[in-house]
Amino acid sequence: MPDAPIADFHAVVPAGGAGTRLWPLSRAGYPKFLLDLTGSGRTLLQGTVDRLLPLTGPGHVLVVTGTRHADAVARQLPELGPEHVLAEPSPRDSMAAIGLAAAVLAQRHGPDVVLGSFAADHVITGLPEFGATIREAVAAARTGAVVTIGIRATEPSTAFGYVRSGAALGVPDAPHARRVVAFTEKPDAQTAADFLATGEYSWNAGMFVVRAGVLLDHLAAQLPALHDGLRRIAAAWDTPERDARLADTWPTLTRIAIDHAIAEPVAAAGGVAVVPGGFGWDDIGDFASLGALLGADGEPTLGDEAHVLRVDADGSVVVADGRAVSVVGIPGAVVVDTPDAVLVTTRAHAQQVKQAVDAWRERGRDDLL
């Protein structure tokens, strides 16, 4: 018998960003969370909600997205209902998105509900382990802590931030929870290797679990104007005044990530805990990571394999959109074929794809972005 949903637990799914390192597959108007990048038949957003609903139960998932994407989100997630898609007029970064959801939840259900924030564009495997981790995180959050999920670092990566864990939190239902000593931004290679050697550091995947009232109280202490603006909007959210409050208040909100607004200062005061995540995790940050996700056989393909030919091109990543694609003599190539743009690079240069997006923008080719 499957575990029952967690009482008074709501999932918040911030669905934003353009995924520029996955261009031209991911575009500003149709970003990576709306795409099926795993070949599963479900988009990344749908996969995220699929794994959260058994933990929350129906009616307890909120998606926060831009007005540009709200209709597509609603089409992909008809099971949520329109009241569970919060549309932002413009991007104000993760603190405003998650804070809005917290304020709306507090308005609707009271400040003691626990919310968990989970990005819309990550891939997670090992769902029983994921569920067990989130249950521990909720138990830790009920004590008043801000809880983050630490991903076991498998290599000294410079692409992720790090969380340093300290003493045990001492919560019976969260035996693996520990105090967070500090968050560290993306380090250089030597620092990352030093972190890994200590065994005290995990990757920061940006997952946070916390009581809605606790999050809002911390925000009031750290950034009172942002807190007050979000509360003002939330008070009007389920009323005819919503659009007016969004129009006059949303553009004034501070643009800041939740890591800088809450996690780092509250950790310094001893108020953040970490629960290690015993599951597989990938943020599909570029085509190299997409290749690793797709191709254990060394021939990672997104699209119809029948349209892809490799000759002396082991490990090449190919995204085929119906035309025949041949890769000859370029091991580790990346070839992405879309109707209006083609990308050719290598897995080693995958992080530089964003530079192509920036260069097309400078040329005024917004139609490609």
Side-chain angles (χ1 to χ4, degrees), residues 83-102:
E83 72 275 17
H84 293 106
V85 178
L86 309 185
E88 307 172 307
S90 60
R92 307 306 293 171
D93 219 322
S94 60
M95 186 67 257
I98 298 166
L100 173 63

Side-chain angles (χ1 to χ4, degrees), residues 40 131 143 147-148 235 253 302 309:
S40 67
T143 70
V147 185
T148 189
L253 300 181
L302 190 62
L309 177 69

Side-chain angles (χ1 to χ4, degrees), residues 71-235:
D71 288 345
V73 167
R75 284 194 302 272
Q76 289 197 3
L77 299 171
E79 66 272 29
L80 292 193
E83 72 275 17
H84 293 106
V85 178
L86 309 185
E88 307 172 307
S90 60
R92 307 306 293 171
D93 219 322
S94 60
M95 186 67 257
I98 298 166
L100 173 63
V104 169
L105 286 173
Q107 188 77 20
R108 289 175 176 175
H109 305 288
D112 289 334
V113 295
V114 176
L115 68 90
S117 174
F118 307 93
D121 55 4
H122 293 177
V123 172
I124 287 175
T125 55
L127 296 190
E129 294 79 7
F130 175 74
T133 300
I134 301 310
R135 289 175 188 277
E136 280 203 41
V138 171
R142 293 199 199 281
T143 70
V146 177
V147 185
T148 189
I149 308 300
I151 304 299
R152 185 172 64 88
T154 56
E155 60 180 349
S157 174
T158 60
F160 306 125
Y162 285 75
V163 184
R164 185 181 181 187
S165 58
L169 190 63
V171 176
D173 290 337
H176 301 99
R178 309 186 77 83
R179 294 283 180 191
V180 169
V181 176
F183 289 86
T184 304
E185 292 286 343
K186 298 174 183 179
D188 59 38
Q190 183 58 56
T191 303
D194 293 343
F195 284 175
L196 207 61
T198 69
E200 297 175 354
Y201 289 82
S202 52
W203 287 332
N204 176 15
M207 302 181 202
F208 293 97
V209 182
V210 60
R211 289 206 319 254
V214 169
L215 180 68
L216 293 167
D217 286 348
H218 283 309
L219 187 58
Q222 301 294 332
L223 294 165
L226 178 54
H227 165 272
D228 294 350
L230 290 171
R231 286 284 209 178
R232 192 177 309 118
I233 293 168

Side-chain angles (χ1 to χ4, degrees), residues 283-294:
D283 72 341
I284 320 185
D286 58 27
F287 283 109
S289 59
L290 178 62
L293 188 71
L294 291 174

Side-chain angles (χ1 to χ4, degrees), residues 14 30-31 34 48 50 56 67 71 83 92 119 127-129 135 157 168 186 191-192 250 255 289 304 334 337 341 365:
Y30 212 78
L34 294 173
T48 299
D50 289 346
T56 66
T67 52
D71 288 345
E83 72 275 17
R92 307 306 293 171
L127 296 190
E129 294 79 7
R135 289 175 188 277
S157 174
K186 298 174 183 179
T191 303
W250 188 263
R255 188 168 185 163
S289 59
D304 190 344
V334 173
D337 181 32
R365 290 297 306 272

Side-chain angles (χ1 to χ4, degrees), residues 299 301-310 318 320-326:
E299 294 194 349
T301 302
L302 190 62
D304 190 344
E305 287 273 9
H307 292 145
V308 178
L309 177 69
R310 294 175 178 85
V318 179
D321 190 42
R323 289 189 295 187
V325 176
S326 305

